[in-house]
Amino acid sequence: MTLQQPLKKGFKQMLAEANAFIETISVHDALPLVGLKSVLFLDVREAFELEKGEIEGALHAARGFLEFFADPESTMHKPEMARAEKIILYCATGGRSALAAKLLVDMGYDFDRIFNLAGGFEAWKAANGPIEVI
């Protein structure tokens, strides 16, 4: 099946909307939050991307399963998500995590708790942020 008309919303528009809606946190501001029990770094990259490492202490929740991990009624629920006072989502460069952050707010997570890491894992590595090799 082929598209016969343009999409109502393409990824560029969806990404622009997510970035305008979700608060972004810089790597500089996120670095001191590593290791705090109230803060959850949520890695929404695909499993194959983890070979590059992960932010120290992060929880992996691939974006394709995020709804199931986020919902307390799901058998796949990750309770760490419900307990965290602040959730900082990241992907490789910040696009997928912005969309994922907006998804969490759309699901009912408090807007004040959800942040997108500017520049994602690549910016984190460039800033020499602590990384765990999986």
Side-chain angles (χ1 to χ4, degrees), residues 21 23 50 73-75 96:
F21 182 71
E23 187 169 344
L50 298 179
E73 293 183 15
S74 168
T75 58
R96 290 173 288 170

Side-chain angles (χ1 to χ4, degrees), residues 2 22 26-27 38 43-44 51 55 60 67 77-78 92-93 99 102 110 112 116 124 128:
T2 60
I22 296 298
S26 70
V27 170
S38 61
D43 186 344
V44 297
E51 65 189 30
I55 291 176
H60 179 246
E67 294 91 333
H77 176 62
K78 304 269 187 185
T93 59
L99 294 169
K102 183 164 184 320
D110 292 334
D112 298 3
N116 184 34
W124 187 266
N128 294 314

Side-chain angles (χ1 to χ4, degrees), residues 18-39:
N19 280 320
F21 182 71
I22 296 298
E23 187 169 344
T24 300
I25 186 168
S26 70
V27 170
H28 174 76
D29 289 337
L31 279 167
L33 304 177
V34 172
L36 297 179
K37 292 198 181 287
S38 61
V39 178

